[in-house]
Amino acid sequence: MVLSKTASQSDVSVHSTFASRYVRDSLPRFKMSENSIPKDAAFQIINDELMLDGNPRLNLASFVTTWMEPECDKLIMDSINKNYVDMDEYPVTTELQNRCVNMIAHLFNAPLGDGEAAVGVGTVGSSEAIMLAGLAFKRKWQNKRKAEGKPYDRPNIVTGANVQVCWEKFARYFEVELKEVKLREGYYVMDPVKAVEMVDENTICVAAILGSTLNGEFEDVKLLNDLLIEKNKETGWDTPIHVDAASGGFIAPFLYPELEWDFRLPLVKSINVSGHKYGLVYAGIGWVIWRSKEDLPEELIFHINYLGADQPTFTLNFSKGSSQVIAQYYQLIRLGIEGYRNVMENCHENAMVLKEGLEKTGRFNIVSKDDGVPLVAFSLKNNKRHDEFEISDMLRRFGWIVPAYTMPADAQHITVLRVVIREDFSRTLAERLVIDIEKVLHELDTLPAKVSAKLAIAEEAEAQNGIVKKTDIETQREVMAYWRKYVSERKSNKNKIC
């Protein structure tokens, strides 16, 4: 099953101008060709098509790292043919993964004794990490319910409506009810009080987000922990907490070391973090750390020996590359605490530069917080004539990829734009982006309002005056008449001699 749509159905062949010196026949687009082609031609054909992709450095929608040092790039290429799962053949790579797990566990204040190894695993990203953590919670809850002779067929997880889609995937794929705390205007993260109210005897965990995808805000894990301790005492339950620190896990320890969100809180049993976000590694690496061995049921761990030795494995997939694990280890020893702190402070400062520049325009409300993931989420103060989606679309002409989106329930009437500040986004680029946004605003001011906006305003006025609402056919005719007039006026203006 193909989940994505093809860009073009009009031509079933691939053509390349420069590759014609090697091969004159066009290639089928959706089937393998019968014959081979020269390597130069294959490279040129693909390279030509890839030129139409966006520039990753200007993709301000993504949290994922888009730049690493050349020395790390070389390590990645040198290890690109190593299969991470083959631990017996690549014992040093396995050792580097174990070192990363222990470094991150100490960073998250795991209660480890002297010489005690941390419990955790590398994954392809936070989505897999969350699946593994969720499975551990579900199995531990089921085992407890079975031992008590109670039903164990209706597990649920409590989250905010602002969670990333991977939580919805976990709930659907592994048959767990997802109980979401709704948002409200001005409060775009999970309310700990409401979350604890939704907890019942079937709740396998409460998931808190350290760095919301929507506005970068940290949820109050400390308050959630304290409220949940009280509820557990009253009910006799032992509902735990998982912290989704995909974005904030490599930020909070360096920018906000006093903030209590991690294993310092007794109910926090597992934490996931994306190495390919503010862990500063290219896409393809995540981590999940458990508080102790007791929090990861042994029956979820498989043991195999057909690759040469007994190897424990707890992953959703099997084979994967070693490059990203090695790259993560490089960043951890290369930067250290000092280096990560410098990078995160610089990202935060550049976010403030962008925020101040947007505020000076007088056209935007800032939705993000100063503390949290270094990003700026903002919305138009007045989007009656033109909206955030138009700004997003027009910024692409300057090369910028800035997403516009609506908030989840019950704040779906709020639309925002979001700029993620990564290590490779400089102050100069922040200032340049503000200038280009001002150009877009100026151009939008000279354009007529969207037809939909005009009609909405007109209908609102008519309703206030007691006029009957137009039918769909009447509305469609009005739209067509408006655009005919608009296009005609544009043509006549072009024909005028200046």
Side-chain angles (χ1 to χ4, degrees):
M1 178 175 65
V2 179
L3 297 179
S4 58
K5 295 181 180 179
T6 55
S8 173
Q9 299 286 358
S10 60
D11 193 344
V12 294
S13 300
V14 176
H15 306 275
S16 175
T17 300
F18 299 109
S20 63
R21 64 180 62 190
Y22 306 107
V23 57
R24 293 300 303 273
D25 294 331
S26 59
L27 296 174
R29 191 183 296 268
F30 303 118
K31 295 181 181 179
M32 289 181 65
S33 60
E34 292 294 331
N35 303 314
S36 303
I37 63 174
K39 59 184 180 182
D40 313 76
F43 171 82
Q44 191 67 58
I45 288 170
I46 297 171
N47 188 62
D48 287 354
E49 287 207 72
L50 289 176
M51 288 192 301
L52 299 177
D53 268 349
N55 183 342
R57 295 279 301 276
L58 299 182
N59 180 8
L60 307 183
S62 177
F63 293 82
V64 176
T65 296
T66 54
W67 178 86
M68 296 187 76
E69 292 174 324
E71 292 78 7
C72 193
D73 288 345
K74 187 176 187 308
L75 284 173
I76 288 173
M77 294 310 300
D78 289 346
S79 58
I80 202 158
N81 58 350
K82 290 183 181 179
N83 188 358
Y84 164 82
V85 78
D86 198 346
M87 301 177 185
D88 190 54
E89 289 297 320
Y90 307 116
V92 176
T93 299
T94 301
E95 171 63 18
L96 297 187
Q97 188 240 206
N98 294 339
R99 292 179 192 176
C100 288
V101 166
N102 280 273
M103 288 181 183
I104 295 169
H106 283 289
L107 192 65
F108 295 167
N109 295 291
L112 301 173
D114 293 338
E116 183 181 357
V119 181
V121 66
T123 64
V124 294
S126 275
S127 291
E128 184 188 6
I130 284 168
M131 303 284 175
L132 298 179
L135 284 171
F137 282 118
K138 182 181 179 182
R139 182 57 59 88
K140 193 170 183 183
W141 174 83
Q142 286 176 327
N143 291 343
K144 183 174 183 291
R145 299 282 289 182
K146 287 178 185 178
E148 295 173 346
K150 297 178 179 178
Y152 54 90
D153 59 337
R154 298 184 63 187
N156 69 67
I157 283 183
V158 176
T159 70
N162 57 312
V163 292
Q164 216 261 1
V165 69
C166 59
W167 284 99
E168 298 176 42
K169 288 182 178 180
F170 168 77
R172 189 176 301 177
Y173 295 166
F174 297 104
E175 298 181 321
V176 177
E177 180 189 0
L178 190 66
K179 300 172 72 172
E180 293 184 334
V181 178
K182 303 301 183 185
L183 311 184
R184 61 181 184 272
E185 186 170 350
Y187 197 93
Y188 304 114
V189 293
M190 180 179 70
D191 184 335
V193 175
K194 292 182 178 179
V196 173
E197 289 175 355
M198 296 175 73
V199 169
D200 58 33
E201 63 178 350
N202 293 321
T203 301
I204 64 175
C205 78
V206 180
I209 313 298
L210 194 78
S212 171
T213 301
L214 302 177
N215 68 344
E217 188 175 349
F218 292 168
E219 293 182 346
D220 194 339
V221 188
K222 176 68 165 61
L223 177 58
L224 176 65
N225 178 84
D226 295 344
L227 293 172
L228 205 47
I229 286 176
E230 291 302 316
K231 183 152 190 172
N232 286 342
K233 285 180 181 178
E234 294 171 3
T235 59
W237 305 332
D238 56 356
T239 308
I241 296 172
H242 174 84
V243 179
D244 179 357
S247 299
F250 277 109
I251 295 171
F254 306 110
L255 290 185
Y256 316 104
E258 303 304 318
L259 180 67
E260 294 184 48
W261 63 274
D262 51 20
F263 292 121
R264 285 171 287 184
L265 303 174
L267 291 184
V268 174
K269 303 300 183 181
S270 56
I271 301 172
N272 70 275
V273 64
S274 291
H276 58 222
K277 292 182 181 176
Y278 288 94
L280 307 180
V281 179
Y282 293 138
I285 186 68
W287 304 93
V288 56
I289 312 294
W290 283 272
R291 185 183 194 87
S292 66
K293 291 181 180 179
E294 290 71 31
D295 297 306
L296 176 56
E298 179 64 30
E299 63 263 35
L300 293 178
I301 302 174
F302 290 82
H303 293 265
I304 60 164
N305 60 11
Y306 53 78
L307 291 177
D310 179 67
Q311 299 175 8
T313 174
F314 181 38
T315 58
L316 293 182
N317 63 316
F318 195 62
S319 294
K320 67 177 179 181
S322 298
S323 299
Q324 265 62 17
V325 171
I326 294 169
Q328 183 72 82
Y329 184 66
Y330 172 91
Q331 293 290 45
L332 292 173
I333 66 169
R334 160 77 176 92
L335 294 173
I337 292 174
E338 176 192 25
Y340 269 98
R341 182 184 296 117
N342 289 340
V343 171
M344 300 311 153
E345 287 177 349
N346 190 58
C347 289
H348 181 265
E349 290 169 4
N350 289 336
M352 293 303 99
V353 169
L354 178 60
K355 174 195 170 187
E356 292 165 6
L358 292 171
E359 287 177 329
K360 287 179 181 177
T361 67
R363 303 285 291 272
F364 298 105
N365 292 315
I366 305 299
V367 177
S368 52
K369 307 291 184 182
D370 290 351
D371 296 336
V373 177
L375 61 79
V376 183
F378 52 103
S379 60
L380 284 166
K381 290 182 178 180
N382 185 348
N383 60 2
K384 295 292 185 183
R385 285 176 52 83
H386 300 284
D387 60 24
E388 291 81 0
F389 292 100
E390 290 177 274
I391 294 176
S392 174
D393 185 56
M394 293 183 72
L395 280 173
R396 284 180 176 267
R397 295 188 307 179
F398 298 93
W400 303 107
I401 301 173
V402 178
Y405 52 88
T406 56
M407 289 291 192
D410 287 329
Q412 58 265 46
H413 59 288
I414 305 295
T415 305
V416 299
L417 294 148
R418 188 195 67 208
V419 174
V420 178
I421 310 299
R422 300 188 302 271
E423 181 185 11
D424 55 357
F425 187 81
S426 65
R427 178 177 183 138
T428 301
L429 286 177
E431 294 170 344
R432 180 75 249 176
L433 176 59
V434 172
I435 291 172
D436 289 342
I437 288 175
E438 289 177 328
K439 289 180 181 177
V440 167
L441 291 172
H442 177 72
E443 185 170 352
L444 284 174
D445 288 341
T446 65
L447 295 176
K450 296 183 304 178
V451 175
S452 57
K454 282 195 168 188
L455 293 177
I457 295 171
E459 286 182 3
E460 184 178 343
E462 290 173 355
Q464 291 175 353
N465 295 327
I467 301 174
V468 179
K469 184 180 178 180
K470 297 182 179 68
T471 65
D472 291 341
I473 293 294
E474 290 173 331
T475 301
Q476 186 177 359
R477 288 172 180 165
E478 189 172 332
V479 170
M480 292 174 63
Y482 170 82
W483 276 110
R484 287 196 188 100
K485 180 182 178 183
Y486 175 67
V487 172
S488 176
E489 289 176 351
R490 292 270 298 203
K491 286 182 178 179
S492 63
N493 288 335
K494 284 182 180 179
N495 292 331
K496 290 179 180 177
I497 300 175
C498 298

